Amino acid sequence: MNHHPLRVPGDPLSPRERALLDILCSGTWRGTSEARQQLAHARWGGLEFDDCECFLIDVPEELDLPRIPKRSGGPFATVEVLDGETALGHLNLWAVDGLLHSVDYMTFDAPDEQLPAAELLGDGPFKG
C-alpha cells in the first residue's frame, strides 16, 4: 500500500522532477536563460493528467521573472528518451505566456504514465 503524503500545488519539485527540468532547460537557444531563471523558483503545480506522472509547473508570477520570448507553438524543449540505442519517446517541456508550464512524456509504444529516469535522457535538449 502506498503511504506517500499527498502533494499539493506549490510543493517543492521532487529531486527527479528537478533533474529532468535541469536537463530540459540546459539548451543554448533563445529563451533558455529565462527558463533557467524561472526554474530556480519553480514549484510542483499538480498532475497534468490523471494516472500519469506528467506534471504542471508553478512559477510565481509575483516574482516578475523574465519571460520566455513568444514562440510559434509546440513544446519549448524536447529531449529524446533512450534505452541504449532504442528510442523510447520524447520528454517535452511546455511554456505558456512566457512561463514554464508543464512536462509531458510521449512514448512510442508503451504507456506513458511514468516519467523516465534522467539517465535515459539523450544528449541534451533540442528546441521544440
Side-chain angles (χ1 to χ4, degrees):
M1 182 174 246
N2 188 347
H3 291 289
H4 295 289
L6 186 62
R7 293 174 76 184
V8 296
D11 280 352
L13 294 163
S14 73
R16 182 165 141 214
E17 292 162 346
R18 174 80 50 192
L20 295 174
L21 282 167
D22 283 340
I23 293 167
L24 285 162
C25 290
S26 68
T28 58
W29 57 85
R30 185 173 176 241
T32 54
S33 173
E34 292 86 349
R36 284 189 294 275
Q37 289 177 60
Q38 291 178 22
L39 179 56
H41 302 279
R43 311 287 284 181
W44 187 75
L47 294 177
E48 187 171 17
F49 307 109
D50 290 338
D51 300 323
C52 180
E53 292 180 341
C54 299
F55 61 96
L56 299 170
I57 302 166
D58 179 29
V59 177
E61 288 193 49
E62 64 272 7
L63 294 180
D64 198 28
L65 296 166
R67 300 283 177 129
I68 296 167
K70 192 170 185 162
R71 314 190 59 234
S72 60
F76 172 70
T78 299
V79 65
E80 289 182 303
V81 180
L82 306 166
D83 185 4
E85 300 270 328
T86 304
L88 301 176
H90 291 111
L91 188 68
N92 300 306
L93 172 61
W94 296 84
V96 173
D97 295 331
L99 294 174
L100 298 177
H101 177 268
S102 59
V103 171
D104 67 35
Y105 179 34
M106 305 301 291
T107 60
F108 295 134
D109 62 359
D112 53 1
E113 292 104 13
Q114 294 185 334
L115 291 173
E119 298 80 37
L120 294 177
L121 300 184
D123 294 330
F126 56 92
K127 192 174 185 178

